[in-house]
Amino acid sequence: MLLCTRLAGAALRWRLPPRHPRQLSGAAAPDLRAFIAGNTEPVREHLTPEMSLRLLTPRCRFWSQPAHLWPFSDPYWAIYWPGGQALSRYLLDFPAVTRSKRVLDVGSGCGASAIAASMSGASHVLANDIDPVAAVSIQMNCELNKIPPLLVATESLVGKMEEKWDVILLGDMFYDEELAASLHNWLTGYKQLHGSEILIGDPGRSQFTHYAAQNCLQKVIEYELPETSRQENYGLTSSSVWRFLSSDITGQE
């Protein structure tokens, strides 16, 4: 199976396989940076063209190579998923959402939403992705966009309640029913404890649209996806940003 086919299959199913990322030693980072630079390319053809991101494209050699030749876990960080595109576009369009705020970006991937928050004036941003390769990619994308390097946490922060964040971002995280339930429980408790703004980016995955707690969601904005993103995501035409409300509220905050 080609690597691009496996990634495309995940997009079609809207479910990522439950794989555990390989752990990397600190000594591997320089070689990893060279590997990422040599096997991705800077791209601006997406909803946030003011931001350049290193992504896997048809012009990259691994796009058409057998998936087993890719030496790390599947590179979901090398795809700019449509939920993340909408979330990042919203932050850039409305910088007051994150200006002077402490921001946590869960499932950061390529780091686009974390970078958008930083570009919009957030006082502190933490990108969170359990894949250590994504952590290196995020730092390279910071450099590409000429912003200070972001802090990246590679342990899962889902379920953590202690630290207070003003804004929590989740792009393309509701791809699995079990994960959606886990996220709901965490976000409900976190919202009640800290009152934080919680924003979700999703293009309409079935796991999200059938999410049992729809009364906890308020659509904020919807964006039309550019043609390249439509082609990569099997014809999806739009992606939206949703606000997570307290679970005991129906219809309005």
Side-chain angles (χ1 to χ4, degrees):
M1 180 185 295
L2 302 182
L3 181 61
C4 65
T5 304
R6 186 154 75 188
L7 292 173
L12 179 61
R13 296 189 306 275
W14 297 119
R15 177 186 176 92
L16 309 189
R19 301 184 59 196
H20 296 285
R22 299 182 186 181
Q23 295 302 310
L24 303 171
S25 66
D31 290 340
L32 181 54
R33 288 174 62 91
F35 179 86
I36 292 172
N39 291 285
T40 60
E41 65 173 350
V43 175
R44 291 184 182 270
E45 292 77 28
H46 41 65
L47 266 181
T48 55
E50 58 267 69
M51 185 189 303
S52 184
L53 299 166
R54 285 198 164 276
L55 304 174
L56 185 68
T57 75
R59 295 178 290 275
C60 300
R61 68 187 180 99
F62 272 103
W63 185 267
S64 57
Q65 288 194 356
H68 73 271
L69 295 180
W70 182 263
F72 307 106
S73 300
D74 288 345
Y76 297 111
W77 52 266
I79 304 295
Y80 194 8
W81 302 96
Q85 290 195 40
L87 199 52
S88 301
R89 180 70 268 158
Y90 177 67
L91 299 183
L92 293 173
D93 286 345
F94 301 95
V97 173
T98 52
R99 184 182 297 131
S100 302
K101 305 286 181 61
R102 288 173 49 81
V103 179
L104 171 63
D105 181 27
V106 179
S108 197
C110 65
S113 295
I115 291 171
S118 179
M119 293 172 68
S120 299
S123 61
H124 180 71
V125 180
L126 178 63
N128 177 217
D129 197 294
I130 62 171
D131 190 339
V133 183
V136 178
S137 172
I138 289 168
Q139 299 299 7
M140 294 177 69
N141 283 330
C142 289
E143 295 168 8
L144 200 59
N145 289 282
K146 297 180 171 57
I147 68 168
L150 295 173
L151 292 176
V152 182
T154 54
E155 72 275 16
S156 175
L157 296 184
V158 174
K160 304 293 185 181
M161 304 291 287
E162 297 81 9
E163 190 164 3
K164 180 179 179 180
W165 300 96
D166 300 310
V167 182
I168 296 180
L169 308 172
L170 304 97
D172 303 283
M173 286 291 287
F174 286 75
Y175 53 78
D176 175 89
E177 291 180 5
E178 183 177 348
L179 178 58
S182 177
L183 288 171
H184 173 74
N185 292 336
W186 173 52
L187 295 176
T188 297
Y190 198 94
K191 180 79 172 177
Q192 292 173 347
L193 179 63
H194 296 294
S196 305
E197 173 84 315
I198 299 172
L199 298 172
I200 299 167
D202 194 275
R205 295 178 176 82
S206 60
Q207 291 85 352
F208 187 71
T209 57
H210 297 150
Y211 175 44
Q214 287 294 312
N215 63 306
C216 297
L217 301 172
Q218 177 187 71
K219 182 182 280 192
V220 178
I221 197 166
E222 184 172 354
Y223 292 101
E224 293 296 313
L225 290 169
E227 184 58 34
T228 52
S229 297
R230 296 186 187 197
Q231 293 173 1
E232 292 169 359
N233 290 280
Y234 292 87
L236 279 174
T237 59
S238 65
S239 187
S240 300
V241 175
W242 300 79
R243 176 176 291 113
F244 185 87
L245 310 175
S246 296
S247 61
D248 58 347
I249 292 181
T250 305
Q252 61 180 11
E253 230 175 341

